Amino acid sequence: MKVSDILVRPVITEKVNRQMERAGRYTFVVGKQANKLEIKKAVESFYGVRVANVNTMVVPAKSKARFTKAGLLSGRKPSYKKAVVTLVEGETIDLFTN
């Protein structure tokens, strides 16, 4: 698998920002077929850091509905796989610069 197939995008939320600052944990949306070893190698090669630990989880699909002028629109959000990567002490990733 290519790095772009493994690491889809980083997750940027308030909770993740707190984890980045305090514990050195970074969260990424990853490909469904990627395993922990592939995720570790992809993060180390793409960002040039050392990874201590990788935790993965599959976020289930959700049903969504909203009211509009046309009536009730309903659909589904797809499921995705998420990885929480813990870096070695002293390592950081700067996700906010180009």
Side-chain angles (χ1 to χ4, degrees):
M1 294 178 88
K2 297 184 294 186
V3 174
S4 60
D5 294 336
I6 296 171
L7 296 177
V8 177
R9 63 182 168 86
V11 176
I12 307 296
T13 61
E14 290 180 11
K15 183 177 180 179
V16 170
N17 284 339
R18 225 174 307 120
Q19 286 183 346
M20 284 191 279
E21 294 168 0
R22 294 182 183 164
R25 290 182 174 176
Y26 296 84
T27 305
F28 298 93
V29 174
V30 297
K32 279 248 183 145
Q33 303 301 321
N35 61 30
K36 290 183 181 185
L37 295 175
E38 292 172 338
I39 295 167
K40 179 179 178 177
K41 289 178 186 175
V43 170
E44 286 177 344
S45 67
F46 191 74
Y47 291 105
V49 294
R50 292 180 301 159
V51 174
N53 192 13
V54 177
N55 296 14
T56 60
M57 61 202 82
V58 176
V59 179
K62 293 182 179 180
S63 296
K64 289 288 188 176
R66 67 177 182 216
F67 292 100
T68 63
K69 289 182 181 179
L72 181 67
L73 294 177
S74 60
R76 289 181 63 81
K77 290 178 69 177
S79 66
Y80 60 94
K81 190 171 189 176
K82 180 165 84 166
V84 179
V85 177
T86 306
L87 301 182
V88 175
E89 190 75 28
E91 298 273 348
T92 60
I93 296 175
D94 192 7
L95 297 174
F96 302 107
T97 60
N98 295 351

